[in-house]
Amino acid sequence: MANTSPAIEDYLKTVYAHTEWQPDAITPSVLAGRLGIAPSSVTEMVKKLAAAGLVIHVPYGAVRLTPLGTDRARQVVRRHRLIETWLVREMGYGWDEVHDEAEVLEHSVSDRLLEAIDERLDRPTRDPHGDPIPLADGSIVVPDAVNLAIATPGHTGRIVRISDRDPAVLRSLDEASAGLDTALSVTDVAADVIRIDLAGRTHALTRAAAEAIWVEA
């Protein structure tokens, strides 16, 4: 992988992940919140990334990756998601426990070890949360999906992705047996609750839980 610092890798990965499942580009303020960094620090780093040809940014505007930035970001994303998959399949971690471990390991694992992990896992195409794993050449296939929070009553499909942003949500979905590839139907949509039929049982999901789930479009 190109010689970039862990801080740069974190920025690129966060910008990339923000638009992977929805079209709106990330703003500096949202970027600061996701990284837990002061807005002034984000402003300075974004300037450095723009100077390096990794992002496009105008003052007070959104931050977008350049083709070079996208390539670098996917390298980091590949590392992160393969490590998460390895931790779940081989090391006994729960899907709600792997994110922070992968955040550390992604910056230090060698290309040789990453290739060995990929081969050991039989070239997985998605991580434990359904996020697609980029191939070594940078190509990636994102399934056509819709966020459950905006799905309409009657929508039916398999779960293809569950966000790992909130481990508590992952644990609650586990309790409801809502995992990847589980088929569900939306039965009712209210301001604060989304009701779904899952394996013959009705579940009332909070909007926060629904926002973490993507189903087939």
Side-chain angles (χ1 to χ4, degrees):
M1 182 171 172
N3 185 24
T4 54
S5 70
I8 289 176
E9 292 176 358
D10 285 342
Y11 271 82
L12 296 178
K13 181 182 66 178
T14 302
V15 174
Y16 177 85
H18 182 80
T19 54
E20 191 170 20
W21 293 92
Q22 58 83 43
D24 298 330
I26 196 167
T27 63
S29 61
V30 172
L31 185 55
R34 294 281 170 82
L35 293 170
I37 297 173
S40 58
S41 298
V42 168
T43 298
E44 290 305 311
M45 177 60 86
V46 167
K47 289 179 180 178
K48 293 179 181 179
L49 296 176
L54 297 171
V55 303
I56 298 172
H57 175 249
V58 295
Y60 310 108
V63 180
R64 294 177 173 82
L65 295 173
T66 64
L68 176 61
T70 299
D71 180 64
R72 298 280 178 85
R74 285 182 178 173
Q75 291 178 54
V76 185
V77 166
R78 172 175 166 79
R79 288 169 173 266
H80 183 96
R81 294 176 181 172
L82 275 173
I83 290 169
E84 286 194 336
T85 307
W86 174 65
L87 290 173
V88 168
R89 290 195 193 177
E90 301 282 331
M91 306 304 290
Y93 279 68
W95 68 342
D96 59 318
E97 301 173 316
V98 294
H99 180 76
D100 289 344
E101 292 279 12
E103 286 284 296
V104 176
L105 293 172
E106 71 190 32
H107 301 300
S108 57
V109 65
S110 68
D111 291 340
R112 179 182 177 184
L113 178 55
L114 192 73
E115 169 60 23
I117 290 172
D118 192 25
E119 183 176 5
R120 169 78 176 182
L121 299 176
D122 196 25
R123 314 294 181 188
T125 58
R126 63 181 184 179
D127 73 6
H129 313 102
D131 285 312
I133 300 173
L135 299 180
D137 64 5
S139 60
I140 190 170
V141 177
V142 179
D144 189 16
V146 61
N147 188 263
L148 185 59
I150 61 173
T152 56
H155 188 101
T156 300
R158 294 180 307 111
I159 296 174
V160 298
R161 190 245 180 175
I162 301 176
S163 172
D164 63 352
R165 188 171 301 160
D166 187 344
V169 170
L170 290 175
R171 289 190 288 271
S172 69
L173 293 175
D174 245 347
E175 293 173 359
S177 299
L180 294 181
D181 299 324
T182 303
L184 63 77
S185 296
V186 179
T187 59
D188 186 49
V189 176
D192 56 350
V193 173
I194 310 293
R195 298 187 186 279
I196 62 171
D197 182 82
L198 187 71
R201 296 180 60 186
T202 298
H203 298 268
L205 301 180
T206 65
R207 186 154 292 274
E211 288 174 349
I213 299 174
W214 275 255
V215 297
E216 292 172 317

